[in-house]
Amino acid sequence: MVHLPAYKMVPLGDSALIIDFGNIISRPVNDAVVSIFKKIQQSPIEGMIEAVPAYSSLAVYYDVLSLRKKITDEQTVFQLMKNKMIDLLQEENEPLFINEKKEISIPVCYEKEFATDLKWMSLQINIPADEIIQLHTSTTYHVFMLGFLPGFAYMGEVPDKIAVPRKPQPVQVAAGSVGIAGKQTGVYPFSSPGGWQIIGRTPVKFFDKEKKEPTLLKAGDSVQFYSISKDEFENIKSRHS
């Protein structure tokens, strides 16, 4: 069972609210965010349009016009939705659980042509490239949230030894590039500008609009990377193209 940490609930514009647990990166807090998100997906609140989980907060968007018909003179739409959320969070007979957690292994080629920043990282932190790869692949990462690009999963936390700052200026990054920024690691689903330090590339698609569930990962999933050769990279890529 997930125990609910202290939170505050505040408006987000005139058609959404935020359940805010504080500006922190914390597994227990993120577990609570994901658990609430899954609970309201399974049992949507009347008037809700969608919910969006982040590291330590959950945004809930709602239909102002339909909810306005249900409010009294003393209420606002925000207060009505806030009360509905509080009732849901306080339901004793339906505790918060993390369920449907997915564990997935992701192949990554860390060879030079794909690992454009691995040499820089090695010099910056004074650790051989092989050890950086070993540390990156020996950790099981928690998916805290999706954002930036469709299917881009913010995962953490990387070992302290290989935590490095992001680039001062974004550069063009190839689809499938695996990067590190601070204590986070992530995979670029598409070719795009990016500021994370690139240490490898995966042939696995993280976003496929043709699938019923287009994103490979969801908040709350677990990920472990494993190293592959360039030949293995090309073989896997050809099978999935």
Side-chain angles (χ1 to χ4, degrees):
M1 186 192 302
V2 174
H3 298 284
L4 200 60
Y7 65 90
K8 61 182 179 180
M9 210 175 292
V10 296
L12 177 64
D14 59 1
S15 59
L17 61 78
I18 290 256
I19 305 171
D20 184 10
F21 294 93
N23 187 24
I24 56 174
I25 297 177
S26 160
R27 262 302 289 278
V29 166
N30 189 252
D31 284 345
V33 169
V34 174
S35 187
I36 298 168
F37 171 67
K38 290 183 176 180
K39 185 171 183 178
I40 62 177
Q41 277 192 314
Q42 293 165 2
S43 303
I45 296 173
E46 183 183 7
M48 186 184 83
I49 297 173
E50 66 171 335
V52 181
Y55 271 102
S56 57
S57 65
L58 180 73
V60 179
Y61 295 86
Y62 45 81
D63 184 340
V64 174
L65 294 179
S66 67
L67 289 171
R68 191 170 286 156
K69 300 173 185 176
K70 301 179 182 298
I71 62 176
T72 65
D73 291 340
E74 294 77 23
Q75 275 185 318
T76 64
V77 173
F78 164 72
Q79 288 168 334
L80 174 65
M81 199 65 179
K82 178 180 178 180
N83 290 339
K84 288 176 179 286
M85 286 301 307
I86 290 173
D87 289 344
L88 179 139
L89 297 178
Q90 292 178 343
E91 288 176 353
E92 294 181 1
N93 62 331
E94 293 186 29
L96 299 175
F97 287 93
I98 294 292
N99 52 31
E100 299 179 2
K101 180 179 178 179
K102 185 168 58 177
E103 298 181 0
I104 185 168
S105 297
I106 302 292
V108 179
C109 182
Y110 295 92
E111 293 188 20
K112 185 177 179 180
E113 66 179 279
F114 297 145
T116 52
D117 299 311
L118 188 56
K119 183 177 179 181
W120 174 89
M121 268 189 67
S122 178
L123 295 171
Q124 181 79 6
I125 61 180
N126 196 28
I127 293 178
D130 288 347
E131 186 176 347
I132 294 174
I133 295 167
Q134 188 275 325
L135 287 167
H136 190 251
T137 55
S138 65
T139 302
T140 300
Y141 299 100
H142 175 75
V143 178
F144 283 93
M145 61 174 283
L146 272 64
F148 169 54
L149 294 169
F152 187 99
Y154 290 84
M155 295 176 266
E157 297 179 358
V158 301
D160 288 336
K161 278 186 169 182
I162 59 172
V164 289
R166 59 184 298 135
K167 295 180 174 73
Q169 295 292 333
V171 298
Q172 193 66 26
V173 177
S177 293
V178 180
I180 292 176
K183 299 265 301 182
Q184 304 171 112
T185 189
V187 179
Y188 287 81
F190 310 104
S191 175
S192 72
W196 292 30
Q197 308 295 343
I198 304 304
I199 62 169
R201 192 180 303 172
T202 179
V204 174
K205 283 186 177 181
F206 272 59
F207 183 84
D208 188 343
K209 66 179 181 180
E210 304 301 327
K211 291 186 176 180
K212 184 178 179 180
E213 293 189 359
T215 60
L216 178 66
L217 300 175
K218 294 181 179 178
D221 288 343
S222 294
V223 171
Q224 184 151 26
F225 298 103
Y226 66 94
S227 181
I228 59 173
S229 66
K230 185 179 177 183
D231 286 341
E232 290 173 308
F233 176 96
E234 297 297 345
N235 288 336
I236 294 172
K237 187 173 182 179
S238 64
R239 292 201 306 267
H240 290 85
S241 59

